[in-house]
Amino acid sequence: QQNNKWIYKDVEVDFLGFCAKKDNNPVDLKPKEIKLLELLIKHKNQVLTRNQMLDSLWEIDEAPADRYGGRESPHLAFA
């Protein structure tokens, strides 16, 4: 496991290249979904509030209008 990649069993996520593979096949994830996964991995065993996650994923000028990440990330939705 490298800092810019996360590998678990048959899943590999490249955080710099914003791509993911399962069984060496591409997985359709959006950059924000990959950033969310990276954030959750970096904060393993920690509780993050929705606002902490949103603040980490979106810049002030690009924040989603309703501040709800679930609609932006259907694969990794959170409430």
Side-chain angles (χ1 to χ4, degrees), residues 20-73:
K21 294 179 183 179
K22 179 171 177 21
D23 293 325
N24 214 25
N25 295 311
V27 176
D28 183 25
L29 292 177
K30 307 232 181 314
K32 291 289 190 221
E33 293 169 328
I34 291 177
K35 285 183 177 182
L36 175 60
L37 181 59
E38 181 179 24
L39 178 69
L40 294 173
I41 290 169
K42 284 182 178 178
H43 295 278
K44 182 180 175 180
N45 297 323
Q46 295 180 20
V47 176
L48 299 174
T49 67
R50 181 176 59 181
N51 282 342
Q52 286 174 311
M53 289 187 265
L54 292 173
D55 289 344
S56 294
L57 297 174
W58 281 273
E59 299 294 326
I60 297 292
D61 60 340
E62 68 169 353
D66 63 1
R67 300 279 292 172
Y68 177 68
R71 292 187 194 136
E72 298 294 325
S73 304

